[in-house]
Amino acid sequence: MLIEKESLNVLRDALERLEEGFTDLPEYSPSVDPEALQKVMVEVSNRMKDNFPYPHPMYCGQMLKPPHPIARLAYALALWINPNNHALDGGRASSAMEKEAVAEIARMFGWETHMGHLCGGGTMANLEALWIAGNLTSRKKVVASKQAHYTHERICGVLGLPFDYVPCDSQARMDLVALKARLDNSDVGTVVVTMGTTATGSVDPLPEILKLRSQYDFRIHADAAYGGFFTLVDNLDPETGTAFRHLNEVDSIVVDPHKHGLQPYGCGCVLFKDPSVGRFYKHDSPYTYFSSKELHLGEISLECSRPGASAVALWATQRLLPLVPQGQFADDLGKSRKAAIRLYEMIENDPRFRAAMIPELDIVVWAPKAESAGKISSLSKGLFEETAAQGLHFAIANLPASLLKHRWSDVEWDQEDVTCLRSCLMKPEHLDWIERIWQTLDKATKRVLHQQCKG
Ligand SMILES: *Cc1c(COP(=O)(O)O)cnc(C)c1O
């Protein structure tokens, strides 16, 4: 059964308890028309059938991870109150929970003090981080690797900050020689270091970039939207693990609890090492901030209204699964990592396939072997469709020739990029399902290659 429903009983009990907090009010009972609700909900559930089966382990395509049941329950419970975390007037309890949850994320990165908050997602979080960076660097240039998230360039456009790309090495990490050349030849104010790229999960060489910072003066913003929680995992390659251990030395960090933190969408987080950057947010809202002298989250965030429910869900999840090494949360993330290592080994040991690079997190990118980039691309697309037809869902990634020329030296580059298959093994269950995934991939590959022979 894909849809877990047992936890709904827990929600009902919790709502009864919540109600006990409001018994001294004059009698008032909001009414519903169950029949009308039912009618629409039949339509809603029918419409929602039109989706890939994201929660199932046979879905291993895009970055989609089911929220933990505790996150769903806590979020749903909060909706009966619907707090707004802009100000304490709109969400007292949920604002306190947000501060606690965000402080726990900061501690995961080794920061005992910080300034930070939740926001809509990684893009919004990066926007805030680069806005502060621009303010502190006299609006100097921002650079990010060619494989950094595409929104950095656009964010800089919005902020009116100059932006430039730095080429990548064959592991899709920021190339240090190229970065040094940028630092020598232009006025770089901020380097965006990606801790887990969206396409391949590659981790930029943070320790070396920190060394360059002591030579050249620039800010470091770590985009750990995808990879941040891997800080807790003990089965990374040594180089990758070392990069994560240096995260406490950067100036700002973005991490998405709605990617690997078991949260529903709408939960990003931005953190600054220096709490005094809060001064840039200063504004004078005539509507809010009358209820107490305590910090209102709206005083330190660019967005105004924000869902308190997101904070409640995150707080509850961290309560059940604390962000500590060797805890259940870390163990589960380690399983995703292990599943990726397994899949990579199977691919590399199979003469029909080859990996695009060594996976650093839980994302594996690979393609069927063929003589040219064009042939590889059409085989990948064929395999993407054939596996989907057999109930196994991967994603597609287009990688530039420059990234693969080294590793795939025998390929004829008849086009500028190559389509590969990409798999985000984000669920811990993927580890137990990897044999089944492989069997289906094997069957689909035989069919695709057979059709190709015939064609
Ligand atoms: C997903 C992602 C983003 C964007 O985050 P959203 O939550 O989708 O807005 C930014 N950077 C990286 C590295 C990402 O993986």
Side-chain angles (χ1 to χ4, degrees):
M1 236 180 311
L2 186 63
I3 307 291
E4 180 280 315
K5 294 173 287 281
E6 215 182 310
S7 59
L8 283 177
N9 298 325
V10 181
L11 178 59
R12 179 172 278 278
D13 286 350
L15 284 168
E16 306 276 357
R17 184 167 299 274
L18 173 63
E19 182 141 52
E20 290 168 11
F22 300 93
T23 43
D24 53 353
L25 295 165
E27 181 56 31
Y28 160 67
S29 300
S31 65
V32 293
D33 175 353
E35 255 172 58
L37 300 187
Q38 179 104 28
K39 218 170 130 214
V40 176
M41 286 310 283
V42 167
E43 274 189 80
V44 172
S45 37
N46 282 332
R47 290 294 292 265
M48 288 301 286
K49 289 175 188 167
D50 178 27
N51 270 305
F52 290 109
Y54 307 119
H56 197 279
M58 291 292 269
Y59 184 87
C60 31
Q62 307 286 356
M63 290 174 169
L64 288 138
K65 182 171 178 165
H68 194 280
I70 193 73
R72 274 199 312 249
L73 291 178
Y75 198 104
L77 178 112
L79 289 183
W80 265 266
I81 301 286
N82 195 31
N84 182 341
N85 272 17
H86 167 64
L88 295 167
D89 316 49
R92 250 187 349 248
S94 50
S95 292
M97 289 159 109
E98 174 166 339
K99 287 174 198 169
E100 291 172 32
V102 169
E104 183 167 338
I105 294 178
R107 273 196 301 276
M108 173 178 81
F109 295 120
W111 288 353
E112 286 304 322
T113 60
H114 72 281
M115 191 215 84
H117 60 86
L118 301 180
C119 56
T123 306
M124 192 62 210
N126 280 320
L127 174 83
E128 292 203 19
L130 293 180
W131 172 63
I132 293 287
N135 275 319
L136 285 168
T137 58
S138 321
R139 315 192 60 74
K140 280 188 202 160
K141 188 188 277 181
V142 176
V143 298
S145 93
K146 248 336 224 182
Q147 287 291 313
H149 200 264
Y150 72 94
T151 47
H152 287 289
E153 183 178 13
R154 211 161 59 177
I155 288 167
C156 288
V158 171
L159 295 172
L161 294 172
F163 176 86
D164 199 4
Y165 281 112
V166 180
C168 287
D169 65 14
S170 60
Q171 267 290 117
R173 302 168 180 166
M174 184 180 279
D175 186 272
L176 289 165
V177 177
L179 173 61
K180 199 163 178 307
R182 290 284 185 292
L183 295 168
D184 281 328
N185 301 327
S186 62
D187 217 3
V188 173
T190 305
V191 177
V192 175
V193 176
T194 306
M195 303 298 286
T197 60
T198 315
T200 63
S202 298
V203 177
D204 285 343
L206 180 57
E208 289 75 15
I209 296 170
L210 283 162
K211 274 188 204 134
L212 286 171
R213 184 176 66 175
S214 56
Q215 232 176 305
Y216 303 81
D217 187 27
F218 55 84
R219 242 180 112 76
I220 298 182
H221 168 59
D223 180 359
Y226 187 75
F229 290 105
F230 282 92
T231 301
L232 296 171
V233 162
D234 60 11
N235 58 353
L236 301 175
D237 285 341
E239 219 184 328
T240 312
T242 305
F244 276 102
R245 277 191 295 281
H246 278 84
L247 258 180
N248 61 340
E249 294 170 54
V250 307
D251 299 294
S252 53
I253 303 175
V254 157
V255 58
D256 261 350
H258 73 201
K259 287 232 175 100
H260 252 309
L262 298 165
Q263 298 309 297
Y265 285 113
C267 193
C269 178
V270 61
L271 296 165
F272 297 92
K273 186 176 195 172
D274 174 8
S276 78
V277 299
R279 67 188 183 277
F280 290 106
Y281 288 88
K282 198 170 159 29
H283 65 89
D284 214 350
S285 162
Y287 317 110
T288 39
Y289 313 144
F290 298 116
S291 64
S292 91
K293 292 214 175 333
E294 251 185 89
L295 177 78
H296 299 260
L297 288 162
E299 294 175 86
I300 54 154
S301 75
L302 278 184
E303 288 168 286
C304 183
S305 295
R306 288 190 300 107
S310 283
V312 176
L314 182 63
W315 186 92
T317 308
Q318 292 177 187
R319 198 79 181 157
L320 186 70
L321 304 166
L323 300 178
V324 292
Q326 273 120 42
Q328 176 80 47
F329 181 87
D331 267 11
D332 282 349
L333 212 51
K335 283 186 190 161
S336 283
R337 167 75 188 137
K338 208 165 173 180
I341 297 170
R342 284 262 176 89
L343 181 61
Y344 169 75
E345 285 168 356
M346 286 159 139
I347 285 161
E348 287 289 275
N349 288 326
D350 191 308
R352 295 169 297 177
F353 301 121
R354 108 173 109 185
M357 58 205 62
I358 304 164
E360 287 190 78
L361 303 178
D362 59 351
I363 303 174
V364 186
V365 181
W366 81 100
K369 277 187 192 160
E371 2 16 298
S372 69
K375 270 244 172 76
I376 295 170
S377 297
S378 80
L379 280 174
S380 292
K381 285 172 201 155
L383 204 46
F384 171 73
E385 271 161 34
E386 183 56 36
T387 48
Q390 299 195 19
L392 172 64
H393 303 276
F394 293 122
I396 287 273
N398 286 321
L399 295 182
S402 58
L403 213 56
L404 293 170
K405 267 184 178 151
H406 238 72
R407 207 176 154 89
W408 295 2
S409 54
D410 55 342
V411 167
E412 181 205 329
W413 292 96
D414 54 348
Q415 52 185 64
E416 275 179 15
D417 50 21
V418 62
T419 305
C420 300
L421 289 157
R422 166 170 165 267
S423 188
C424 300
L425 298 166
M426 295 177 84
K427 298 167 205 123
E429 293 81 7
H430 279 136
L431 184 57
D432 287 336
W433 280 74
I434 208 77
E435 300 295 334
R436 174 77 184 265
I437 289 168
W438 185 258
Q439 281 163 18
T440 310
L441 172 62
D442 175 60
K443 223 169 99 190
T445 307
K446 281 179 182 142
R447 261 187 98 139
V448 169
L449 293 177
H450 183 68
Q451 275 160 3
Q452 186 210 23
C453 287
K454 280 198 302 191

